[in-house]
Amino acid sequence: QVHLMESGGGLVQPGGSLRLSCAASGTFFSAYVMAWYRQAPGKQRELVASINNGAGTSYVDSVKGRFTISSDNAKNAVYLQMNSLKPEDTAVYYCYFGPPANWGQGTQVTVSS
């Protein structure tokens, strides 16, 4: 089985920065896509950013220019650098490797004064 563990969440003031990390352990075939999702209270889960094996990236419009997704193949890890954070970024962030789908347990990001 594959185990994903996120880290780097926390409480930050508006305009601040955080860097999320997700490392995979276990036996698995190379994922086609690594991604970050988030779910805010009372809202639908959304895809924030993704990166494929060729390092092509995609972002939801609301984070373009502020967030950067990257990966380290040697470490089986994916990262999300979040700058200029806004209160609307507050959510639980989940990393994803797939297919087949593998999910982390989530890390809380709270942006508040």
Side-chain angles (χ1 to χ4, degrees):
Q1 294 186 9
V2 178
H3 180 246
L4 306 181
M5 187 171 72
E6 300 104 331
S7 63
L11 174 64
V12 65
Q13 294 184 346
S17 298
L18 287 172
R19 182 175 174 85
L20 305 183
S21 299
C22 178
S25 61
T27 301
F28 61 98
F29 295 103
S30 298
Y32 290 99
V33 176
M34 294 179 284
W36 288 95
Y37 288 77
R38 68 185 180 188
Q39 186 166 24
K43 295 186 176 181
Q44 183 179 350
R45 185 183 65 180
E46 67 174 346
L47 175 62
V48 178
S50 64
I51 184 168
N52 62 25
N53 288 342
T57 59
S58 181
Y59 300 90
V60 67
D61 287 344
S62 61
V63 309
K64 288 181 178 177
R66 300 189 298 119
F67 291 11
T68 303
I69 188 171
S70 61
S71 62
D72 185 336
N73 297 131
K75 297 181 179 179
N76 292 324
V78 63
Y79 309 94
L80 186 67
Q81 178 66 45
M82 304 185 293
N83 298 327
S84 301
L85 283 161
K86 304 175 181 180
E88 67 186 48
D89 296 317
T90 296
V92 177
Y93 285 71
Y94 301 89
C95 65
Y96 166 93
F97 283 34
N102 291 277
W103 294 90
Q105 59 186 345
T107 185
Q108 176 71 47
V109 172
T110 302
V111 185
S112 179
S113 299

